[in-house]
């Protein structure tokens, strides 16, 4: 899917390789450019010279957790426009609030529905 | 001199005594005490001077020189000691309403009936000879007056004609009337005391009259008398101490014996303690009484010297007091002297018989009758009248015993010797009394043993030989020793010779008595009652000073107390103090009301701050009157105190328990909260761990479903494989969660049996052989032939080895995987080590890996397969088998997991 003349870039961050595989397939099927990271540090390293439009972020990861990754991401001026979608098994109201507080725009709970996930991503890319 | 004149005068004298006693008793009934006076008290103490003093001292001086002084020096020289002991005894006796020396001793040692009986028997057996010599002295006196120079009195053919018998009858009736006129709960007999005090005056005046007559009538004063005495060899000798034949040791023993006697002789105890009206009389008595002794002894030596110079051997020295006036024609003086000796005898007999009858009836007859009543002879004990009859019977019994003794044995000894035998008997009570006053540890058993041993030694050394000499029992043991053992001669016990029989007997009997008392006391346990009584006796001042226990119920007019406070503290402070007291105690004080004990104590304490405790006590005593307190009340107060102490101790214990319980509850609560949190964490973690594979499965299966045609073969297979793996992961997780639940319940391992660890390991390796081959991992087991019996559950132990093998498989080097298994036995343990050649475990993770949901991640791959529960479960199972697990690792050089299990105690199997 082509929007505004360039292919949207999406970073998928999850420590579960099988989930990354599924997400990568779904996003590539929609035509997005996908980069993968298996923990927080890898994600931040990746974004130093690659600016994604969307970051799909897991919360419970070894080392740096997703909330921390989001907070650091928000401190980088270059990533001002990057949207953050949390995709996590942590589903309590308090977790959600922490997620929004750390700077995320969307919060989705695992296991997710493929169609809902894709339409969310598409909406973001269509309307910002 | 005619017999009728002598008897007439004696009867007239006795009538006078009756009159005095009757008048005093009458006044006492109207509330006026004649005897409540220190001088009367001191004079009544002079009952100590008996006919022995009156007649016998002269006799003793004639034969033994100055030795007669010993028994009078004791109370004089040891007056301070006497004062201390007497004061304490009186305080205790008033507090406890003691009626006799037997009562005192029995009460001290737990109100023991046995001790009452023993003391009474010692007193009766020891004192009866003493009473007998009084009878003898009176008979002797009558015979001297009526038959002087007309030859010896004819021996009476029957007791009807024996003047001694009639003297006894007279004494018995006199005592019966005085000593038992009424039944007083405090055993106070004011008439008796007054009569005794009067008799003391008569004794002193008549004896001094004879002394003056001899010194200034026959001779020209002391100078003339003593000058003439020094000219004769026999009388000159009487003036030296050497002639007395008494050693310094004997002097000391005599002084000690007389100190004991002045307190412990039943009549002395009765007069000085039971009849005492106030402890305040003691200080004055302490110098008046020795003064009396001095006065009555002044003329002993002059009379003895004169008698020796004037008479030949035909006149008995014991009669000099009478025979000297008779010889010189002063018949009326002789009669007066006889009345003096008679009064000495009567006062002694009356008081002694009264004291003994109190003891005899209270400690022997009444308990006996009560016991008889308990078997149905109710009529024998019937009120006060019966009790008085019992007293009278006791008195008769005592006096006729004395009469019989005098008839059979008494004539063998002179007056003083028999008196000293009694002194020695009374001294047997000294250890238990003194110990009872100052030594709390002394026990009832000690007192019983000491008294019995002392009494036996005394009886063996003094009365038995005297009876032998009187021909009543065989004489052989006196000269040859008991059972012909020379060490057991009654006058030379254990070969000790060279001291007179009294000193000898006193020394040995008191030595055995005191040691037995002390040793038995130390080795026995006092009863509870004996302990409280001991405390009461030893610490009597504590009980009456009212500081520790306000045991004295003192009452005073509130107005009086206010006046006292005003005088010493001023009006302002008095008002302030009293208003404080009213506020604190929520009372209103009215001047006309009577203040209770606590207010009296409060005022005393307040005063003590201003004028000192001792002065405060005196001041308060002047306005407060004391309620006498009965023994029962004392015991009740003690019991209450003890109960209160016990109660508060129980409360304290309960409080302590409660505190401990609260603490335990708090701890349990903290633990519960922690468990709760752990449980919540566990559920969160498990949920997450379940959601993760479900997420992959759902996403990938939806992809295959939606894009089945669009997916190539390879990718479809890969996705399906992931779905299968993640499904496995879920089932594994569910199984392990169930395992953990089982481990949590901490039930002991089921189906324990003896197993061969080597066999278990081989079985487990067999199970993963497929995986080893697939991944090209080399696995070694060394050795495989060792017998390592352990006790355990086979399936669980296989699970442990498989878990560890799976771990090793997962982390081993991907290219050249290697797993080495080592088995060994050391001491009573078996060791199983599993080593891989993977990346190893960082130091900070080594303890964490045994916790729930801890997994090691590699940077490149993210999470490894597994639930993070394997090692946790492994550790728990090993611990259930009483073993332990540890890990050793150097990063980059693999990891070694080692399990240590106890060797089976059963017979080894030979399965391998």
């Amino acid at each position: 899917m082509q929007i505004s003349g360039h292919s949207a870039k999406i970073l998928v961050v999850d420590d579960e390789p099988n989930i990354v595989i599924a997400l990568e397939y779904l996003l590539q099927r929609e035509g997005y450019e996908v980069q993968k990271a298996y923990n927080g540090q890898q994600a931040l390293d990746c974004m130093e010279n690659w600016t994604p439009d969307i970051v799909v972020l897991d919360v419970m990861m070894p080392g740096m957790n997703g909330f921390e990754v989001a907070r650091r991401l928000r401190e980088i001026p270059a990533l001002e426009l990057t949207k953050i979608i949390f995709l996590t098994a942590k589903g309590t109201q308090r977790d959600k609030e922490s997620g929004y507080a750390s700077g995320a725009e969307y919060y989705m709970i695992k296991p997710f529905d493929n169609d809902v996930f894709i339409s969310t991503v598409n909406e973001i890319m269509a309307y910002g | 001199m005619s017999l009728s004149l002598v008897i007439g005068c004696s009867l007239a004298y006795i009538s006078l005594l009756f009159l005095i006693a009757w008048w005093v008793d009458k006044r006492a009934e109207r509330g006026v005490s004649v005897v409540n006076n220190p001088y009367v008290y001191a004079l009544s103490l002079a009952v100590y001077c008996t006919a022995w003093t009156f007649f016998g001292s002269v006799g003793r001086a004639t034969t033994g020189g100055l030795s007669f002084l010993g028994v009078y020096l004791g109370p004089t020289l040891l007056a301070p000691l006497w004062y201390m002991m007497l004061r304490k005894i009186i305080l205790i006796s008033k507090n406890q309403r003691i009626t006799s020396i037997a009562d005192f001793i029995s009460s001290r040692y737990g109100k023991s009936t046995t001790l009452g009986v023993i003391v009474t028997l010692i007193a009766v057996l020891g004192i009866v000879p003493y009473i007998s010599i009084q009878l003898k002295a009176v008979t002797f006196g009558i015979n001297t007056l009526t038959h002087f120079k007309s030859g010896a009195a004819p021996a009476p053919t029957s007791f009807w004609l024996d003047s001694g018998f009639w003297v006894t009858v007279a004494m018995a009736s006199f005592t019966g009337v005085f000593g038992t006129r009424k039944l007083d709960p405090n055993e106070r007999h004011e008439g008796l005391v007054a009569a005794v005090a009067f008799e003391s005056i008569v004794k002193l005046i008549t004896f001094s009259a004879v002394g003056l007559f001899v010194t200034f009538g026959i001779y020209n004063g002391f100078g003339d008398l003593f000058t003439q005495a020094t000219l004769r060899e026999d009388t000159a000798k009487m003036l030296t101490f050497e002639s007395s034949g008494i050693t310094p040791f004997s002097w000391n023993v005599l002084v000690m014996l007389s100190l004991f006697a002045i307190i412990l002789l039943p009549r002395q105890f009765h007069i000085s303690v039971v009849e005492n009206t106030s402890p305040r009389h003691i200080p004055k008595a302490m110098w008046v009484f020795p003064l009396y002794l001095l006065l009555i002894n002044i003329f002993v030596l002059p009379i003895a010297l004169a008698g020796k110079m004037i008479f030949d051997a035909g006149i008995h020295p014991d009669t000099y007091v009478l025979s000297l006036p008779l010889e010189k024609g002063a018949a009326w003086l002789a009669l007066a002297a006889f009345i003096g000796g008679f009064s000495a005898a009567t006062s002694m007999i009356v008081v002694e018989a009264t004291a003994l009858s109190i003891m005899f009836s209270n400690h022997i007859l009444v308990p006996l009758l009560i016991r008889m009543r308990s078997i149905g002879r109710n009529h024998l004990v019937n009120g006060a009248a019966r009790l008085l009859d019992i007293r009278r019977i006791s008195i008769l019994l005592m006096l006729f015993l004395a009469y019989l003794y005098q008839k059979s044995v008494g004539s063998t000894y002179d007056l003083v010797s028999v008196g000293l035998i009694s002194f020695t008997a009374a001294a047997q009570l000294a250890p238990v009394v003194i110990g009872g006053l100052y030594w709390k540890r002394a026990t009832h058993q000690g007192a019983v043993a000491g008294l019995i041993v002392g009494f036996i030694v005394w009886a063996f050394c003094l009365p038995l030989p005297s009876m032998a000499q009187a021909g009543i029992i065989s004489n052989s043991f006196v000269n040859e020793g008991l059972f012909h053992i020379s060490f057991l001669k009654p006058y030379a016990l254990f070969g000790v010779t060279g001291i007179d029989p009294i000193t000898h007997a006193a020394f040995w009997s008191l030595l055995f008595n005191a040691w037995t008392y002390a040793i038995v006391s130390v080795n026995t346990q006092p009863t509870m009652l004996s302990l409280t009584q001991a405390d009461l006796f030893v610490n009597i001042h504590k009980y009456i000073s009212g500081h520790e226990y306000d045991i004295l119920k003192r009452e005073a007019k509130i107005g009086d107390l206010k006046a006292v406070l005003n005088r010493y503290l001023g009006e302002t402070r008095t008002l302030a103090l009293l208003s404080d007291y009213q506020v604190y105690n929520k009372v209103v004080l009215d001047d006309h009301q009577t203040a209770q004990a606590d207010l009296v104590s409060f005022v005393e304490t307040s005063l003590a701050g201003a004028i000192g405790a001792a002065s405060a006590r005196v001041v308060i005593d002047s306005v407060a009157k004391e309620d006498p307190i009965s023994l029962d009340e004392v015991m009740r107060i003690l019991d209450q105190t003890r109960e209160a102490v016990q109660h508060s101790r129980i409360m304290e214990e309960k409080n302590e328990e409660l505190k401990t319980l609260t603490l335990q509850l708090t701890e349990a609560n903290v633990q519960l909260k922690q468990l709760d949190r752990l449980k919540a964490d566990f559920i969160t973690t498990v949920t997450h761990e379940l959601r993760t594979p479900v997420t992959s499965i759902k996403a990938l299966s939806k992809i295959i479903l939606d894009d089945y045609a669009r997916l190539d073969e390879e990718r479809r297979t890969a996705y399906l494989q992931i779905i299968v793996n993640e499904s496995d992961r879920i089932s594994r997780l569910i199984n392990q969660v169930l395992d953990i639940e089982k481990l949590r319940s901490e039930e002991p391992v089921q189906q324990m049996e003896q197993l061969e660890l080597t066999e278990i390991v081989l079985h487990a390796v067999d199970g993963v052989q497929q995986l080893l081959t697939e991944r090209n991992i080399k696995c070694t087991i060394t050795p495989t032939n060792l017998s390592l019996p352990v006790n355990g559950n086979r399936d669980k132990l296989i699970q442990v080895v498989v878990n560890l093998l799976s771990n090793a498989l997962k982390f081993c080097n991907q290219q050249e995987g290697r797993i080495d298994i080592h088995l060994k036995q050391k001491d009573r343990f078996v060791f199983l080590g599993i080593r891989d050649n993977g990346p190893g475990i960082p130091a900070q993770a080594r303890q964490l890996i045994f916790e729930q949901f801890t997994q090691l991640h590699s940077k490149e791959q993210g999470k490894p397969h597994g639930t993070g529960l394997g090692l946790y479960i492994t550790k728990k199972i090993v611990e259930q088998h009483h073993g332990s697990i540890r890990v050793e690792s150097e990063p980059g050089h693999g990891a070694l997991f080692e399990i240590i299990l106890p060797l089976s105690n059963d017979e080894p199997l030979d399965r391998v």
Side-chain angles (χ1 to χ4, degrees):
Chain A
M1 194 175 179
Q2 297 282 316
I3 291 168
S4 317
H6 67 95
S7 152
K9 289 181 275 185
I10 297 179
L11 174 64
V12 174
V13 189
D14 202 308
D15 62 329
E16 283 289 331
N18 295 334
I19 292 178
V20 175
I21 289 170
L23 290 174
E24 188 186 16
Y25 173 84
L26 289 172
L27 292 169
Q28 280 176 346
R29 192 183 63 187
E30 296 300 313
Y32 297 113
E33 185 188 340
V34 176
Q35 286 281 340
K36 299 172 283 183
Y38 296 99
N39 58 51
Q41 196 54 53
Q42 269 182 14
L44 291 173
D45 291 347
C46 169
M47 288 183 285
E48 269 176 21
N49 40 27
W50 190 76
T51 309
D53 298 295
I54 295 173
V55 177
V56 178
L57 196 54
D58 185 22
V59 174
M60 286 169 85
M61 292 182 294
M64 198 185 301
N65 71 28
F67 298 145
E68 183 61 29
V69 175
R71 269 193 293 278
R72 293 204 184 180
L73 192 153
R74 282 287 165 252
E75 283 166 14
I76 303 168
L79 299 174
E80 199 184 354
L81 295 172
T82 303
K83 307 284 187 225
I84 298 171
I85 303 174
F86 273 122
L87 187 62
T88 171
K90 284 175 81 78
T92 67
Q93 189 57 36
R94 244 183 56 197
D95 295 328
K96 274 189 187 172
E97 282 163 15
S98 305
Y100 291 126
S102 64
E105 277 77 18
Y106 298 89
Y107 195 101
M108 298 183 74
I109 294 169
K110 288 178 186 171
F112 57 91
D113 185 277
N114 292 0
D115 299 339
V116 174
F117 172 72
I118 287 301
S119 57
T120 306
V121 172
N122 290 343
E123 259 172 58
I124 293 169
M125 292 315 296
Y127 308 107
Chain B
M1 200 179 287
S2 74
L3 182 64
S4 52
L5 179 68
V6 176
I7 288 173
C9 284
S10 304
L11 287 177
Y13 176 71
I14 286 184
S15 306
L16 179 65
L17 290 183
F18 266 119
L19 211 66
I20 291 169
W22 175 81
W23 178 72
V24 169
D25 273 345
K26 267 272 170 288
R27 288 185 62 97
E29 274 165 30
R30 277 186 283 146
V32 185
S33 178
V34 177
V35 300
N36 188 359
N37 172 309
Y39 296 102
V40 173
Y41 181 64
L43 281 174
S44 69
L45 286 178
V47 71
Y48 186 65
C49 300
T50 63
W52 152 17
T53 312
F54 205 87
F55 299 122
S57 285
V58 174
R60 181 77 173 205
T62 311
T63 54
L66 292 171
S67 66
F68 73 94
L69 275 176
V71 292
Y72 306 104
L73 282 174
T76 312
L77 291 177
L78 300 177
L81 207 64
W82 179 30
Y83 171 80
M84 275 165 48
M85 280 172 62
L86 183 60
R87 205 182 124 75
K88 197 167 184 185
I89 291 174
I90 287 177
L91 289 176
I92 294 165
S93 299
K94 294 301 163 193
N95 200 309
Q96 308 245 324
R97 299 196 181 186
I98 298 288
T99 57
S100 66
I101 179 73
D103 194 16
F104 184 86
I105 293 172
S106 132
S107 182
R108 160 61 179 84
Y109 298 97
K111 303 180 183 176
S112 152
T113 329
T114 322
L115 270 175
V117 172
I118 292 173
V119 175
T120 304
L121 287 180
I122 290 177
V124 168
L125 292 173
I127 304 305
V128 161
Y130 201 177
I131 297 177
S132 83
I133 61 171
Q134 308 301 315
L135 297 173
K136 179 183 169 187
V138 173
T139 316
F140 220 58
I142 294 172
N143 288 341
T144 305
L145 284 183
T146 52
H147 295 88
F148 185 64
K149 293 266 171 126
S150 58
T157 46
S158 85
F159 68 86
W160 294 111
L161 298 172
D162 180 8
S163 53
F165 175 76
W166 292 109
V167 168
T168 310
V169 173
M171 292 296 171
S173 49
F174 183 65
T175 313
V177 172
F178 273 118
T180 62
R181 275 203 47 207
K182 60 185 164 81
L183 205 62
D184 185 296
N186 296 319
E187 293 297 352
R188 297 269 317 281
H189 312 82
E190 295 218 335
L192 179 76
V193 174
V196 166
F198 173 75
E199 291 198 288
S200 293
I201 297 171
V202 172
K203 282 187 284 193
L204 184 58
I205 289 175
T206 51
F207 191 81
S208 301
V210 173
L212 289 169
F213 172 76
V214 169
T215 313
F216 297 100
I218 303 177
Y219 294 90
N220 291 320
F222 288 109
D224 179 35
L225 180 67
F226 282 98
T227 314
Q228 292 201 29
T230 48
L231 295 175
R232 287 172 55 132
E233 201 188 322
D234 53 350
T235 46
K237 232 173 65 186
M238 284 163 60
L239 296 171
T240 61
F241 275 100
E242 288 74 31
S243 69
S244 68
I246 290 189
T247 60
F249 178 65
S250 297
W251 272 101
N252 287 329
V253 171
L254 257 184
V255 166
M256 186 184 71
L257 277 183
S258 55
L259 173 74
F260 291 160
I262 196 79
I263 297 173
L264 301 174
L265 280 172
R267 70 170 189 283
Q268 293 302 134
F269 190 88
H270 186 81
I271 284 291
S272 62
V273 177
V274 181
E275 300 281 3
N276 176 277
T277 43
S278 163
R280 281 195 286 274
H281 298 335
I282 306 174
K284 197 154 275 172
M286 282 304 115
W287 64 266
V288 174
F289 178 64
L291 180 66
Y292 183 95
L293 292 181
L294 175 71
L295 291 176
I296 208 161
N297 277 303
I298 283 178
F299 290 105
V300 170
L301 211 49
I303 295 173
L305 290 168
K308 188 89 176 179
M309 288 189 284
I310 289 166
F311 296 119
D312 49 26
I315 302 285
H316 196 294
D318 280 352
T319 68
Y320 282 169
V321 177
L322 300 176
S323 43
L324 276 172
L326 282 175
E327 174 76 15
K328 295 297 173 184
W332 284 102
L333 182 61
L335 187 61
F338 169 73
I339 294 298
F342 183 65
S343 73
T346 50
S347 60
M348 184 277 181
I349 291 173
V350 170
V351 180
E352 199 81 85
T354 303
L356 284 181
S357 77
I358 290 172
M359 285 160 67
F360 195 72
S361 64
N362 284 2
H363 294 284
I364 294 182
L365 284 182
V366 172
L368 213 64
L369 291 175
I370 289 172
R371 198 158 295 179
M372 282 166 77
R373 183 175 60 169
S374 73
I375 55 168
R377 298 186 196 174
N378 200 6
H379 59 282
L380 275 166
V381 180
N382 185 13
R386 285 280 173 208
L387 215 53
L388 284 179
D389 283 346
I390 291 168
R391 285 284 165 78
R392 290 185 184 118
I393 293 167
S394 310
I395 288 170
L396 274 177
L397 202 70
M398 295 302 125
L399 290 178
F400 278 92
L401 267 176
Y403 172 70
L404 288 177
Y405 184 86
Q406 190 231 323
K407 283 272 117 188
S408 51
V409 187
S411 47
T412 335
Y413 279 94
D414 60 33
L415 297 178
V416 172
S417 298
V418 177
L420 282 174
I421 291 177
S422 291
F423 270 38
T424 316
Q428 300 309 318
L429 308 179
V432 297
V433 169
I434 296 171
L437 285 176
Y438 300 103
W439 188 35
K440 243 165 116 172
R441 185 65 185 78
T443 67
H444 163 245
Q445 293 95 322
V448 170
L451 284 176
I452 290 178
V453 168
F455 179 74
I456 289 173
V457 176
W458 168 81
F460 180 70
C461 291
L462 288 174
L464 285 182
S466 79
M467 286 166 82
Q469 275 159 6
I472 298 171
I473 53 173
S474 164
N475 203 16
S476 69
F477 79 97
V478 179
N479 299 323
E480 295 168 26
L482 190 63
F483 312 125
H484 304 285
I485 300 166
S486 60
F487 264 35
L488 296 179
K489 285 182 195 165
Y491 290 148
L493 214 52
F494 307 114
V496 173
T497 54
I499 47 177
D500 61 287
I502 297 289
T503 312
H504 172 267
F507 172 74
W508 284 118
S509 61
L510 284 175
L511 187 79
F512 277 105
N513 181 336
W515 275 104
T516 311
Y517 169 63
I519 290 169
V520 175
S521 284
V522 168
N523 288 301
T524 49
Q525 285 303 315
T527 61
M528 193 63 222
L529 181 58
S530 177
L531 268 181
T532 36
Q533 287 295 90
D535 192 51
L536 240 152
F537 273 59
V538 174
N539 300 319
I540 184 70
H541 295 284
K542 175 174 86 183
Y543 288 89
I544 58 169
S545 71
H547 286 299
E548 277 88 341
Y549 306 91
D550 211 356
I551 210 158
L552 281 181
K553 288 183 173 171
R554 292 179 301 173
E555 289 183 347
K557 276 268 165 58
I558 289 176
D560 291 347
L561 288 175
K562 262 191 193 170
V564 165
L565 280 176
N566 271 334
R567 192 181 319 152
Y568 291 98
L569 302 178
E571 259 179 53
T572 331
R573 279 215 54 201
T574 303
L575 276 176
L577 271 172
L578 290 180
S579 68
D580 273 3
Y581 181 85
Q582 299 189 45
V583 171
Y584 268 115
N585 294 282
K586 299 190 177 68
V587 289
V588 177
L589 298 178
D590 177 353
D591 279 8
H592 301 291
Q593 278 178 345
T594 307
Q596 295 306 310
D598 59 333
L599 176 57
V600 178
S601 297
F602 171 75
V603 171
E604 187 185 328
T605 320
S606 309
L607 270 182
I611 57 176
S615 314
R617 177 88 196 156
V618 174
V619 169
I620 292 297
D621 278 350
S622 69
V623 294
K625 68 171 195 286
E626 291 172 0
D627 242 15
I629 282 197
S630 71
L631 174 62
D632 290 342
E633 251 173 307
V634 172
M635 296 316 293
R636 191 177 49 75
I637 292 167
L638 275 177
D639 281 348
Q640 280 177 350
T641 317
R642 201 167 44 228
E643 268 170 34
V645 168
Q646 242 162 20
H647 203 72
S648 73
R649 193 175 304 138
I650 291 169
M651 293 289 281
E652 246 169 60
E653 278 168 15
K654 291 274 173 218
N655 198 19
E656 234 11 78
E657 270 173 41
L658 217 62
K659 269 188 200 164
T660 319
L661 264 174
T662 314
L663 205 73
Q664 283 172 346
L665 265 175
T666 316
E667 273 171 25
N669 202 26
V670 168
Q671 270 179 347
L672 266 177
K673 275 185 184 164
Q674 210 168 357
L675 272 177
D676 220 36
R677 207 167 47 239
L678 280 176
K679 191 111 187 165
D681 284 355
F682 182 74
I683 288 170
T684 313
T685 316
V686 168
T687 314
H688 179 262
E689 293 301 310
L690 283 171
R691 270 182 181 160
T692 304
V694 169
T695 305
S696 313
I697 292 167
K698 190 182 173 190
L700 288 170
S701 48
K702 190 75 186 332
I703 289 169
I704 295 168
L705 186 66
D706 290 350
D707 302 346
Y708 187 83
R710 222 190 305 170
L711 286 170
D712 54 46
E713 181 73 24
E714 190 186 352
R715 204 173 264 211
R716 215 164 42 219
T717 314
Y719 289 179
L720 283 171
Q721 185 60 54
I722 290 175
I723 291 171
V724 170
N725 287 348
E726 293 290 74
S727 301
D728 281 348
R729 187 174 161 188
I730 292 173
S731 14
R732 206 161 50 234
L733 187 69
I734 290 169
N735 287 337
Q736 286 181 331
V737 167
L738 290 175
D739 277 349
I740 284 177
E741 269 317 297
K742 260 187 247 163
L743 288 168
R744 278 230 181 105
S745 63
E746 279 178 15
E747 277 169 26
V749 184
Q750 302 290 311
Q751 294 160 336
M752 293 280 268
E753 56 181 325
Q754 200 185 38
L755 303 165
E756 265 302 341
L757 191 62
T758 311
E759 193 260 335
I760 301 267
V761 170
L762 289 172
H763 186 89
V765 172
D766 220 33
V768 295
Q769 195 59 56
Q770 181 71 28
L771 282 170
L772 291 170
T773 319
E774 269 175 26
R775 300 198 190 175
N776 196 22
I777 293 170
K778 199 179 169 205
C779 181
T780 64
I781 305 173
T782 44
T784 52
N785 58 348
L786 196 64
S787 169
L788 299 169
V790 293
N791 283 332
N793 180 295
R794 185 176 155 81
D795 291 342
K796 297 233 170 185
L797 284 183
I798 289 175
Q799 191 186 348
V800 164
V801 183
V802 168
N803 277 353
L804 290 177
L805 283 174
S806 314
N807 232 30
L809 267 163
K810 213 186 303 175
F811 288 101
C812 83
N813 189 298
Q814 299 298 314
Q815 279 75 47
E816 291 173 69
R818 203 186 150 81
I819 298 174
D820 298 313
I821 302 174
H822 295 275
L823 287 161
K824 67 173 173 178
Q825 179 197 334
K826 197 183 172 196
D827 299 329
R828 301 294 304 157
F829 296 97
V830 298
F831 295 78
L832 163 64
I834 297 176
R835 181 187 290 280
D836 64 60
N837 63 346
I841 305 161
Q844 70 270 17
R846 266 174 228 156
Q847 281 311 306
L848 283 175
I849 55 171
F850 292 108
E851 300 298 318
Q852 302 173 35
F853 301 111
T854 320
Q855 281 179 305
L856 289 180
H857 297 76
S858 64
K859 265 183 185 160
E860 296 77 23
Q861 295 175 296
K863 252 184 190 174
H865 286 292
T867 56
L869 291 172
L871 279 175
Y872 172 78
I873 291 167
T874 304
K875 182 174 182 244
K876 285 286 167 192
I877 294 173
V878 170
E879 281 169 359
Q880 276 185 335
H881 285 76
H882 313 290
S884 61
I885 185 167
R886 63 184 195 91
V887 65
E888 224 175 71
S889 176
E890 229 181 286
H893 292 89
L896 166 69
F897 284 88
E898 189 173 50
I899 288 170
I900 303 159
L901 289 169
L903 198 67
S904 169
N905 287 324
D906 305 335
E907 283 299 302
L909 303 169
D910 43 8
R911 241 194 270 167
V912 178

